[in-house]
Amino acid sequence: MKKILLVCILLTAFMSCKKDGKTQTLYLAHTLPQTHPVHKGIVEFKKALNKKSGGTMDVKIFPDGQLGSEREVLELLQIGSVAITKVSAATLSNFVPEYHVLGIPYLFRDKDHQFEVLEGEVGKSILEKGSKFWLRGLGYYDAGSRSFYTSTKPIRTPDDLKGLKIRVMNNQMAINMVNALGGSATPMAYGELYTAIQQGVVDGAENNPPSFVSSNHYEVSKYYTLDQHSSVPDVLLIGTKYWDKLSEEEKQWVQEAADESSQAQKKFWNDSVEESMAIAKKAGVEIIIPEKSLFQEKSKSVLEAFLKEHPEMTDLINKIKNQ
């Protein structure tokens, strides 16, 4: 069925890049549910663009992975079948190497530092790097910070991770980080995780508060340690095949709408975090605020290994750290 749907999109691709005399419609696809704070930010993008263009530009949103996975939708952007998408910077790093940097553990001092970087010259330069791969970045959405949660015992220091099997994404940097901290990184499909924790196949996992609650993992993991080891943002992208067809005025409308939606989405995310934490606490989850410097110190080898493999990223990382 997905293949048939993709063929249909290809056959009707002209609709996402052609004016009908009144309105041109941009297809925007992503994988998140409509209740997600990032989707709410995307809705704000649609509203802002429609208003700025006086109704001459509209956005048709395809949520819930209707048009495929993040990688599949990125490929649709590259060939011009879809105009815009939202993907994790982690997924985008497979296309644009500079996005790998944003996954380095404890790269950002705090949330303020993160968005000072992302919304400043460094963040904008990374967005522009994707243009040579036909993927032009428009801005960043807050996707929170990932922290450890466990079912067997609380994590207060890195030593508490020793011997614990921690589920991670199938991502080398995430695997290296957990292993460096003393845990045993265990890549596993996200859909299998609830049962795996419940049955003791793994001792815990790591994710942001809204995901911790929406997945119901708080039911089987009663310790949540807010070490905030990684803060990988989501990225709003437009395919250059579409972007290059726009007039300068239309490009300005699209960029301004993206900027406004990014600011609105931060509030949606913060509200979601507060709501999720309240649910977790009410369910009896112990919230632990650890000394982050202990985790940061012990995970330095991850950065060292990354720089050894990617020395060309040294200047970019130093700019982020020094901002």
Side-chain angles (χ1 to χ4, degrees):
M1 288 299 293
K2 185 177 288 186
K3 288 184 179 179
I4 294 174
L5 180 57
L6 291 178
V7 169
C8 291
I9 292 298
L10 290 172
L11 290 174
T12 59
F14 72 93
M15 292 178 63
S16 69
C17 59
K18 182 179 179 182
K19 301 175 184 179
D20 63 9
K22 295 181 179 178
T23 302
Q24 57 177 317
T25 301
L26 293 74
Y27 286 0
L28 191 162
H30 67 81
T31 61
L32 298 171
Q34 296 179 55
T35 55
H36 197 283
V38 170
H39 175 81
K40 294 177 181 178
I42 288 170
V43 172
E44 291 301 310
F45 169 74
K46 170 184 169 73
K47 291 178 181 177
L49 182 58
N50 190 270
K51 182 177 180 180
K52 290 177 182 297
S53 67
T56 63
M57 300 184 78
D58 193 19
V59 178
K60 183 173 178 58
I61 303 172
F62 295 86
D64 297 305
Q66 292 177 29
L67 302 190
S69 66
E70 287 194 333
R71 185 180 185 90
E72 288 169 335
V73 175
L74 284 172
E75 291 169 352
L76 288 175
L77 252 71
Q78 289 179 316
I79 63 176
S81 295
V82 171
I84 301 180
T85 190
K86 184 292 307 172
V87 299
S88 169
T91 303
L92 194 52
S93 66
N94 295 314
F95 293 75
V96 186
E98 285 77 8
Y99 284 100
H100 275 297
V101 170
L102 302 182
I104 293 173
Y106 306 104
L107 176 68
F108 302 111
R109 294 186 294 274
D110 51 35
K111 184 69 69 178
D112 288 341
H113 177 225
Q114 180 188 11
F115 278 94
E116 282 176 11
V117 170
L118 296 180
E119 294 172 356
E121 291 306 312
V122 172
K124 291 177 182 177
S125 72
I126 296 175
L127 292 174
E128 293 169 0
K129 295 290 185 182
S131 293
K132 61 184 176 182
F133 302 101
W134 307 288
L135 301 167
R136 188 185 191 282
L138 292 171
Y140 300 93
Y141 286 146
D142 193 350
S145 298
R146 301 178 77 92
S147 294
F148 292 112
Y149 53 88
T150 50
S151 60
T152 52
K153 69 174 185 178
I155 306 302
R156 304 186 192 281
T157 71
D159 288 342
D160 293 323
L161 280 162
K162 288 180 180 177
L164 296 187
K165 291 174 289 184
I166 303 296
R167 181 269 177 184
V168 294
M169 297 180 291
N170 191 16
N171 172 280
Q172 196 57 52
M173 193 173 291
I175 293 170
N176 291 347
M177 179 201 64
V178 170
N179 290 340
L181 290 172
S184 177
T186 309
M188 176 184 294
Y190 192 62
E192 301 172 4
L193 185 51
Y194 184 99
T195 302
I197 296 174
Q198 190 177 45
Q199 296 180 351
V201 176
V202 295
D203 300 295
E206 43 89 52
N207 217 321
N208 57 61
S211 295
F212 176 55
V213 171
S214 64
S215 63
N216 294 320
H217 292 171
Y218 71 97
E219 296 175 351
V220 290
S221 300
K222 294 302 182 182
Y223 305 102
Y224 194 18
T225 301
L226 300 181
D227 67 297
Q228 301 175 323
H229 47 258
S230 65
S231 301
V232 181
D234 281 339
V235 185
L236 188 68
L237 300 155
I238 186 168
T240 57
K241 288 186 180 295
Y242 185 82
W243 177 260
D244 292 342
K245 296 178 185 295
L246 299 177
S247 68
E248 290 305 310
E249 185 177 38
E250 289 168 338
K251 289 177 180 178
Q252 182 177 344
W253 291 337
V254 170
Q255 186 60 64
E256 288 178 354
D259 293 342
E260 290 179 16
S261 73
S262 178
Q263 297 307 312
Q265 188 270 337
K266 287 183 194 176
K267 184 178 186 307
F268 295 138
W269 185 267
N270 290 337
D271 291 345
S272 181
V273 168
E274 290 181 10
E275 180 182 350
S276 299
M277 294 298 286
I279 291 172
K281 289 177 182 177
K282 188 175 180 179
V285 175
E286 180 182 353
I287 307 300
I288 299 159
I289 310 296
E291 178 54 61
K292 283 176 63 173
S293 62
L294 300 177
F295 292 82
Q296 187 173 14
E297 182 67 27
K298 198 160 184 179
S299 65
K300 279 185 176 180
S301 61
V302 179
L303 174 57
E304 293 167 358
F306 178 79
L307 287 175
K308 187 174 181 179
E309 186 176 352
H310 301 282
E312 72 280 4
M313 300 291 180
T314 302
D315 183 55
L316 176 59
I317 291 170
N318 286 337
K319 284 181 179 178
I320 292 174
K321 288 192 164 189
N322 294 332
Q323 185 164 330

